[in-house]
Amino acid sequence: MNAKPDVRLPAVSVIMPVLNEERHLRGAVQAILAQEYAGELEVVIALGPSTDRTDEIAAELVHETASDKSKRVHTVPNPSGRTPAALNAAIKASRHPIVVRVDGHGMLSPNYIATAVRLLTETGAQNVGGIMHAEGENDWEHAVAAAMTSKIGVGNAAFHTGGEAGPAETVYLGVFRREALEQQGGYNEEFIRAQDWELNFRIREAGGLVWFSPELRVSYRPRPSVRALAKQYKDYGRWRHVVARYHSGSINLRYLAPPTAVCAMAAGIVAGAALTPWGLVVPAGYLAAIAAGSVPAGKGLPLKARLQIPVALATMHMCWGWGFLTSPKSLAKRVIAARRPAVLSSH
């Protein structure tokens, strides 16, 4: 017999955009349903046009929780396949005052929701989030995870590397007060990537607080190949530049490091090939730096994983920088011309 939810705790809606997530979806949803939280909880999965068994697994999860009034799974369609559209569709279909974003390949730690609800109350924040704890399942993914949690890989981004609790520009995923989402009209659906950063910028511009806490942790599964990682980081760089064009003053030196590195590497290679071997000092120095930086990052990993960390680092840096440099101005114009999402009314 299912225990009745504690009505003294705010009810929580977990929203999950998914596309081709058959590998991780069941585990991600089970981690949500197993949360150490006594309040009412629902999971709303926004289904993109998957080509694997994602929809079938989601239907099984809906059926398995149909009789549980305190913890149910629902689905909504997302025919566009776009992440921000999925998030808005799930928000509209959800009912509760606290909204937790989770991805289909993210695994919440057991006390994630309870801790987030407590932090929202203690800090008065509109959004709280924590660490994107990358974890691999093979040598390549272990290498990417090491790169994504090292300062040489991602700089001083607290949600990657950890740090002290406090106000933040953005956080990984996020646990929101519904009124903050409704005030901002949800996610801007023109932002294929960087939609979290862009939404958090608007929340902060409106006077809201975005709060980072290392108490919150979500396990993340890295991209399974060099090609997939390269596309991911190229898209990150491309859309981060769109945010910078759309919201003036939102850029800082950390975001300029990868495009600067790309330009320096290109100039060094051209100079070394056409003018003087001294031009190769810059690319050689970069390669030496990432090789040295991969040593502490790979501590405790198998040799095959450690040897692949420099490849992961270079892929992340160069593709992010290239995406930033080649980001078409037309993307920002399209975003500026587009209407913001309508107010997301709760059910």
Side-chain angles (χ1 to χ4, degrees):
M1 185 174 180
N2 298 318
K4 290 184 178 180
D6 188 339
V7 296
R8 295 170 298 179
L9 294 171
V12 171
S13 296
V14 181
I15 59 171
M16 179 180 286
V18 299
L19 180 68
N20 294 325
E21 288 287 1
E22 69 173 2
R23 184 180 173 192
H24 300 300
L25 179 58
R26 176 170 287 277
V29 172
Q30 287 175 339
I32 297 166
L33 298 177
Q35 285 289 297
E36 297 169 359
Y37 186 69
E40 185 177 351
L41 186 150
E42 68 173 354
V43 182
V44 183
I45 304 173
L47 296 170
S50 296
T51 56
D52 61 8
R53 294 184 58 252
T54 295
D55 288 13
E56 181 182 337
I57 294 168
E60 292 171 358
L61 292 165
V62 170
H63 176 73
E64 290 164 10
T65 61
S67 62
D68 190 341
K69 294 182 179 180
S70 63
K71 292 184 178 180
R72 283 184 174 174
V73 177
H74 311 275
T75 62
V76 292
N78 174 36
S80 74
R82 288 182 165 191
T83 298
L87 291 166
N88 283 344
I91 294 167
K92 289 178 182 178
S94 67
R95 301 173 293 139
H96 299 321
I98 305 297
V99 179
V100 179
R101 176 184 171 175
V102 183
D103 286 341
H105 47 271
M107 307 292 170
L108 299 185
S109 53
N111 64 344
Y112 182 89
I113 291 177
T115 302
V117 170
R118 171 176 61 80
L119 289 171
L120 284 171
T121 300
E122 291 177 353
T123 64
Q126 277 65 51
N127 182 20
V128 300
I131 295 174
M132 177 183 178
H133 184 62
E135 294 181 333
E137 297 182 336
N138 54 46
D139 288 329
W140 166 249
E141 291 180 3
H142 287 313
V144 177
M148 292 180 70
T149 54
S150 67
K151 289 191 175 181
I152 191 172
V154 293
N156 62 350
F159 68 85
H160 280 296
T161 61
E164 295 184 0
E169 288 184 344
T170 191
V171 290
Y172 180 53
L173 301 178
V175 177
F176 299 85
R177 298 179 189 272
R178 178 178 289 276
E179 61 261 30
L181 293 171
E182 292 181 348
Q183 180 185 17
Q184 295 303 324
Y187 292 84
N188 189 321
E189 295 187 9
E190 292 300 317
F191 280 89
I192 307 303
R193 300 285 186 187
Q195 65 274 158
D196 293 304
W197 207 103
E198 195 275 335
L199 173 59
N200 283 315
F201 183 87
R202 283 188 278 128
I203 289 173
R204 292 187 289 108
E205 285 289 285
L209 176 64
V210 177
W211 187 266
F212 166 81
S213 173
E215 292 183 76
L216 298 173
R217 179 175 294 227
V218 181
S219 294
Y220 168 86
R221 299 292 184 256
R223 294 297 193 269
S225 67
V226 175
R227 183 176 180 179
L229 183 69
K231 183 181 185 305
Q232 178 187 21
Y233 271 78
K234 180 185 175 183
D235 287 345
Y236 282 169
R238 165 182 272 204
W239 284 96
R240 187 62 190 81
H241 202 166
V242 176
V243 175
R245 289 178 175 133
Y246 187 61
H247 295 297
S248 59
S250 66
I251 201 70
N252 60 43
L253 292 177
R254 178 165 68 88
Y255 296 112
L256 297 177
T260 301
V262 170
C263 292
M265 290 281 285
I269 291 171
V270 170
L275 301 173
T276 171
W278 286 105
L280 297 176
V281 169
V282 172
Y286 171 77
L287 294 176
I290 62 172
S294 69
V295 174
K299 187 177 180 181
L301 292 179
L303 178 60
K304 284 186 178 180
R306 296 202 303 270
L307 292 175
Q308 294 181 81
I309 293 174
V311 178
L313 288 169
T315 301
M316 290 161 56
H317 293 162
M318 295 298 106
C319 292
W320 202 103
W322 180 250
F324 188 93
L325 290 169
T326 60
S327 179
K329 289 184 179 179
S330 59
L331 287 178
K333 291 178 180 177
R334 189 179 76 193
V335 167
I336 291 169
R339 295 174 61 186
R340 281 187 179 177
V343 173
L344 302 174
S345 299
S346 59
H347 286 193

